[in-house]
Amino acid sequence: MPIAILALALGAFGIGTTEFVMMGMLPNVAGDLGVDVPTAGQYISGYALGVVVGAPLLTALTVRLARRWTLVGLLVLFTVGNLLSALAPTHETLLATRFLSGLPHGAFFGVAVLVAAALVDPQRRGRAMATVMLGLTLANVVGVPVGTFVAQSVGWRWTFAVVAFIGLAATLAVAALAPRDDAGSSATGSLRAELASFARPQVLLTLAVVVFGMGGLFAAYSYVAPMLTDVSGLQESAVPWVLVVVGVGMTVGSVVGGRLADRSTLGTLAGGIVLVIAVLAGLAALLHSAPAAIALLFLLGFASLGMGPAIQMRIIEQAGGAPTMVSAGVQSAFNMANTIGAWLGGLVIAAGAGLRAPNLVGAGLAVVGLAFLACSALLEVRQRRAAGAAGAGPVDEDARVPVPA
């Protein structure tokens, strides 16, 4: 695997850490800033909203720039956002800095997976994208538990300071190692072509699968710390270790998902969503048992992040040769899922339904995601039949389209 992909994975590690670490240290930040846990959930939604806004905006602004320098600029913005989060004095200020930190997230992943895919043979693109996303999953094995431990030991501000340092290291690594002969996407398409790809029904359906399928993950995972301490009966000091287990599940899922996606994107997505539904239903029923909750959280991480490579590959396949914006759009959809899931999970908690309820909300969201995936599969069958009737021959559901170099 080219070393430049590892530099991209380091950037993904820092981004994944700052996105997910808030879930582990939510009670600590809430207590320090004088807000309750449902209100503190806005720090998760605020970051996600930054991704939703930043992914299309920053991608549009940089679509004609060299991808190497686009990545560097995005990582600089990410580093500054986390440094400001470490210094945020009030609830409102932290909301603003979390939004700022989220702005470069989607554009970074949108460009990074395209750079990674262009560095390898077509048969290995799923694994190359999975390697970039592996940084995201390793963040849940190492970054999130360590960040949670730091927050509990010396304060949550130090967690953001460490993330800012990781961002600086990633900036230097990408500047040194990313391909230097990349003139951006202007050689293969215009901004108009990039935006037009969003009008494709399969692109819209895939984004809907992400919003609702991944919304199920965030409805539950956003409140994992109070679930474990208040219902499962674990001590606060045990939460980082459970997050390690979840992170291992995400890492294994990403690796396995990359290999499965090279075989069938639709099959990988269908299996992942079905497993998410089953796991969330199990959590709602068995959350009182700490061993069962830990095992199910491992499977939740495995199923959710295992779908990542398949999602990226499928939307690039459907983009019609203009993949940059839709690739970033996946991250917007992912964080719309974060926003919706965290909001709905906090809503049912605030309504007095208890800490089991977000799991049921998440299962319901995932069912909606599965319905959109079924619509996508049916549309693909109709397109294949129409192509066959027109004399174009059978269409391979996993046919690869060229990824711009």
Side-chain angles (χ1 to χ4, degrees):
M1 196 68 68
I3 191 170
I5 295 179
L6 299 181
L8 298 172
L10 178 61
F13 175 82
I15 290 173
T17 299
T18 205
E19 178 177 21
F20 290 109
V21 75
M22 184 60 75
M23 298 165 186
M25 62 184 193
L26 203 61
N28 306 95
V29 181
D32 186 51
L33 294 181
V35 298
D36 58 24
V37 168
T39 301
Q42 295 173 8
Y43 304 137
I44 299 170
S45 299
Y47 180 92
L49 183 60
V51 182
V52 172
V53 173
L57 177 63
L58 295 182
T59 302
L61 291 174
T62 60
V63 71
R64 292 182 177 273
L65 301 180
R67 290 191 178 123
R68 173 172 171 247
W69 294 114
T70 295
L71 292 168
V72 168
L74 293 170
L75 286 170
V76 168
L77 180 58
F78 167 80
T79 302
V80 170
N82 280 277
L83 185 59
L84 292 175
S85 292
L87 302 173
T90 65
H91 167 70
E92 292 77 15
T93 307
L94 183 57
L95 280 177
T97 59
R98 287 288 287 172
F99 176 83
L100 178 65
S101 299
L103 287 174
H105 177 129
F108 175 85
F109 278 106
V111 175
V113 295
L114 292 175
V115 171
L119 289 172
V120 298
D121 297 331
Q123 296 79 9
R124 301 177 63 202
R125 284 176 182 159
R127 276 166 276 187
M129 293 179 186
T131 301
V132 175
M133 303 305 290
L134 189 62
L136 184 66
T137 57
L138 285 175
N140 288 277
V141 178
V142 180
V144 172
V146 170
T148 302
F149 175 78
V150 170
Q152 294 174 353
S153 301
V154 297
W156 58 270
R157 298 180 187 278
W158 284 101
T159 299
F160 284 121
V162 171
V163 171
F165 177 79
I166 294 170
L168 177 60
T171 302
L172 297 175
V174 170
L177 299 172
R180 296 173 179 268
D181 57 349
D182 183 2
S185 62
S186 58
T188 58
S190 65
L191 178 58
R192 179 179 297 178
E194 295 283 347
L195 292 172
S197 63
F198 284 100
R200 294 170 172 263
Q202 286 287 22
V203 169
L204 295 174
L205 286 169
T206 302
L207 292 175
V209 170
V210 176
V211 170
F212 292 97
M214 291 296 182
L217 163 68
F218 288 110
Y221 194 49
S222 297
Y223 303 96
V224 64
M227 283 183 191
L228 291 170
T229 55
D230 295 357
V231 181
S232 300
L234 294 177
Q235 297 295 317
E236 185 182 68
S237 59
V239 172
W241 297 105
V242 177
L243 297 181
V244 170
V245 173
V246 179
V248 170
M250 291 180 174
T251 303
V252 175
S254 183
V255 172
V256 173
R259 294 184 178 275
L260 292 176
D262 280 328
R263 300 180 182 180
S264 172
T265 55
L266 270 176
T268 303
L269 289 173
I273 295 178
V274 169
L275 184 54
V276 166
I277 294 168
V279 167
L280 290 173
L283 275 172
L286 301 173
L287 190 60
H288 64 279
S289 169
I294 293 170
L296 288 168
L297 285 169
F298 172 87
L299 290 175
L300 182 62
F302 176 88
S304 299
L305 271 293
M307 291 186 282
I311 290 167
Q312 287 287 353
M313 289 182 67
R314 182 160 181 79
I315 205 155
I316 289 172
E317 289 164 9
Q318 303 295 337
T324 306
M325 286 288 287
V326 295
S327 183
V330 169
Q331 297 302 317
S332 287
F334 188 83
N335 283 273
M336 284 180 67
N338 193 337
T339 302
I340 293 170
W343 176 68
L344 289 176
L347 194 66
V348 295
I349 293 173
L355 287 166
R356 295 175 188 267
N359 298 296
L360 296 176
V361 170
L365 288 171
V367 168
V368 176
L370 186 61
F372 277 111
L373 184 63
C375 292
S376 179
L378 290 172
L379 178 60
E380 191 165 280
V381 170
R382 291 178 59 187
Q383 291 171 334
R384 187 186 303 122
R385 289 176 177 171
V395 177
D396 180 1
E397 73 170 6
D398 287 316
R400 307 292 180 241
V401 298
V403 176

